[in-house]
């Protein structure tokens, strides 16, 4: 069934491509014949009506477009016969046909753009490959909003390669300047259509964030990108469901790898804007490697820079935030900020997780003792 579905999809894509080529070819053919008729009529007016080339051209155009100013007209029998045959019978009819076909071509082109059948030939864009298995429109809306909020990607066009929107992108995504190409990443033609070699950045999402099989699709995309982009592959972020596959993804050209966390598309954006920060953010979600810990330490009129320096110098961890008596969490204030706290939140190392007593003792130590230890 999968094979038949793929064949049908490829057949539809080929049919669409041939239809576009046929319509464009028909337009060029009609326009060519129209130019031939116009040239013949200009020659006829010069020969039969003794008009200058400029006046003959003007008469031909006004007649062909049915404007008919009346400042020039054919007066001889031969001239009138030429006008009747070349323009009235053939030219105007062909002009109407050209206008009709052009409108049909434009409508078909617009429909292809909406349905993701158009090759945009974009440059310096953000290319997103695949879409989440659930609620892709909601996820993409949040992801694009996060991209637009950064200086680096505020004005960059965004293109998605996905088969999730066969009837076109939702209006709220189109309004955000997002376009898509309907297809699968396993189809080399679809991948070429989104011009990955010209992208500013590439994001490869896991097709199914709960299945390890998604990683094989991601790795296949990375191999195809190696072929298409060569040594000039744009900065690429790839999601991997299985942690062990992150090394393989990096070996195949992914500059950054992270686990799919659909609730926080901000992590993907951070990995593009502040490269490496995704590692810090991932640690916040796990209990291995570095991770945050809360310590119920009571402080009064403390100086943020002093407390932070003591904790780092004492090997306790990195001070991330403090908690007020009202349970409000204040994250990373200014260095000269003074505060009262009922608890501190520290980023600690997995190999050493200090206790509450150690943290309290570290804060109570005079700053001068840390300076002496360092010397």
């Amino acid at each position: 069934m999968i094979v038949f579905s793929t064949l049908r999809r490829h057949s539809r894509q080929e049919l669409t491509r041939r239809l576009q080529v046929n319509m464009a070819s028909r337009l060029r053919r009609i326009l060519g014949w129209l130019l031939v008729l116009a040239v013949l009529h200009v020659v006829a007016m010069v020969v039969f009506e003794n008009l200058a080339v400029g006046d003959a051209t003007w008469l031909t155009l006004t007649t062909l477009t049915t404007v008919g100013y009346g400042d020039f007209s054919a007066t001889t029998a031969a001239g009138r016969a030429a006008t009747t045959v070349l323009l009235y019978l053939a030219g105007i009819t062909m002009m109407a046909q050209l206008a009709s076909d052009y409108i049909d071509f434009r409508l078909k082109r617009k429909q292809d753009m909406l349905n993701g059948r158009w090759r945009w030939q974009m440059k310096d864009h953000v290319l997103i490959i695949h879409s989440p298995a659930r609620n892709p429109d909601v996820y993409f809306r949040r992801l694009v909003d996060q991209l637009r909020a950064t200086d680096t990607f505020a004005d960059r066009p965004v293109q998605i390669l996905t088969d999730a929107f066969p009837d076109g992108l939702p209006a709220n995504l189109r309004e955000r300047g997002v376009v898509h190409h309907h297809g699968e990443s396993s189809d080399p033609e679809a991948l070429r259509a989104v011009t990955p070699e010209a992208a500013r950045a590439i994001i490869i999402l896991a097709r199914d964030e709960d299945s390890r099989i998604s990683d094989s699709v991601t790795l296949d995309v990375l191999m195809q990108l190696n072929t298409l982009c060569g040594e000039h592959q744009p900065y690429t972020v790839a999601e991997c469901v299985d942690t062990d596959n992150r090394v393989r993804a990096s070996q195949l050209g992914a500059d950054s790898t992270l686990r799919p966390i659909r609730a926080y598309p901000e992590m993907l954006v951070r990995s593009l804007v502040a490269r490496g920060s995704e590692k810090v953010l991932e640690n916040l979600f796990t209990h291995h490697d570095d991770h945050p810990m809360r310590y119920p330490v009571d402080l009064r009129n403390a100086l943020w820079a002093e407390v932070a320096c003591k904790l780092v110098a004492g090997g306790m961890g990195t001070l991330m935030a403090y908690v007020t008596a009202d349970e409000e969490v204040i994250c990373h204030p200014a260095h000269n900020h003074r505060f009262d706290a009922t608890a501190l939140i520290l980023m600690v190392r997995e190999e050493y997780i200090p206790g509450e007593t150690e943290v309290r003792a570290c804060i109570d130590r005079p700053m001068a003792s840390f300076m002496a230890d360092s010397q």
Side-chain angles (χ1 to χ4, degrees), residues 171-221:
N172 52 35
L173 286 177
R174 296 199 305 269
E175 292 167 357
R176 287 168 167 80
V178 180
V179 299
H180 84 298
H181 185 79
H182 185 77
E184 289 188 353
S185 61
S186 57
D187 180 8
E189 183 62 29
L191 201 56
R192 281 193 293 269
V194 295
T195 57
E197 68 280 359
R200 176 68 177 271
I202 300 175
I203 298 173
I204 307 174
L205 300 176
R207 286 185 64 90
D208 187 345
E209 54 270 27
D210 298 322
S211 173
R212 296 174 60 184
I213 299 177
S214 295
D215 289 352
S216 63
V217 180
T218 299
L219 296 175
D220 176 69
V221 171

Side-chain angles (χ1 to χ4, degrees), residues 9 13 115-117 161-166 180-184:
R9 180 170 55 255
Q13 292 173 350
N115 292 343
R117 310 291 182 185
L161 173 59
T162 177
D163 57 357
F165 304 102
H180 84 298
H181 185 79
H182 185 77
E184 289 188 353

Side-chain angles (χ1 to χ4, degrees), residues 21-22 35 63 80 92 122 124 126 138 175 208 214 234-236 251 253 266 273-274 287 298 300 343 358 366 370:
V21 172
N22 290 340
L35 290 175
T63 304
R80 290 176 177 177
I92 294 177
M122 302 179 78
D124 211 27
V126 178
V138 176
E175 292 167 357
D208 187 345
S214 295
Y235 190 84
T236 302
Q251 292 172 344
E266 296 84 351
V273 177
H287 197 70
D298 188 66
R300 292 290 178 269
E358 294 172 289
F370 291 102

Side-chain angles (χ1 to χ4, degrees), residues 76-206:
T76 67
R80 290 176 177 177
T83 300
T84 300
V85 174
L86 295 174
L87 297 190
Y88 291 169
L89 296 180
I92 294 177
T93 301
M94 198 168 291
M95 188 74 172
Q97 185 64 51
L98 178 66
S100 175
D101 286 354
Y102 180 71
I103 291 173
D104 289 343
F105 178 77
R106 294 284 297 184
L107 290 175
K108 178 67 170 59
R109 180 175 180 266
K110 181 178 181 180
Q111 192 62 41
D112 286 344
M113 288 179 176
L114 291 176
N115 292 343
R117 310 291 182 185
W118 189 258
R119 297 186 66 147
W120 292 90
Q121 299 297 330
M122 302 179 78
K123 293 183 179 180
D124 211 27
H125 57 295
V126 178
L127 173 59
I128 304 173
I129 301 174
H130 301 146
S131 56
R134 293 176 289 275
N135 300 319
D137 53 334
V138 176
Y139 178 82
F140 282 135
R141 187 168 66 248
R142 293 183 58 191
L143 177 58
V144 172
D145 285 345
Q146 289 295 315
L147 287 170
R148 296 288 182 251
T150 67
D151 293 335
T152 306
F153 298 103
D155 301 320
R156 302 292 175 188
V158 177
Q159 184 175 22
I160 306 172
L161 173 59
T162 177
D163 57 357
F165 304 102
D167 298 323
L169 289 176
N172 52 35
L173 286 177
R174 296 199 305 269
E175 292 167 357
R176 287 168 167 80
V178 180
V179 299
H180 84 298
H181 185 79
H182 185 77
E184 289 188 353
S185 61
S186 57
D187 180 8
E189 183 62 29
L191 201 56
R192 281 193 293 269
V194 295
T195 57
E197 68 280 359
R200 176 68 177 271
I202 300 175
I203 298 173
I204 307 174
L205 300 176

Side-chain angles (χ1 to χ4, degrees), residues 262-290:
R262 292 291 175 256
Y264 293 96
E266 296 84 351
M267 290 182 60
L268 280 171
V269 178
R270 285 295 97 197
S271 67
L272 293 174
V273 177
R275 300 173 182 178
S277 61
E278 70 278 0
K279 175 66 175 177
V280 178
L281 294 173
E282 276 192 309
N283 286 342
L284 296 176
F285 291 89
T286 62
H287 197 70
H288 64 274
D289 295 331
D290 300 341

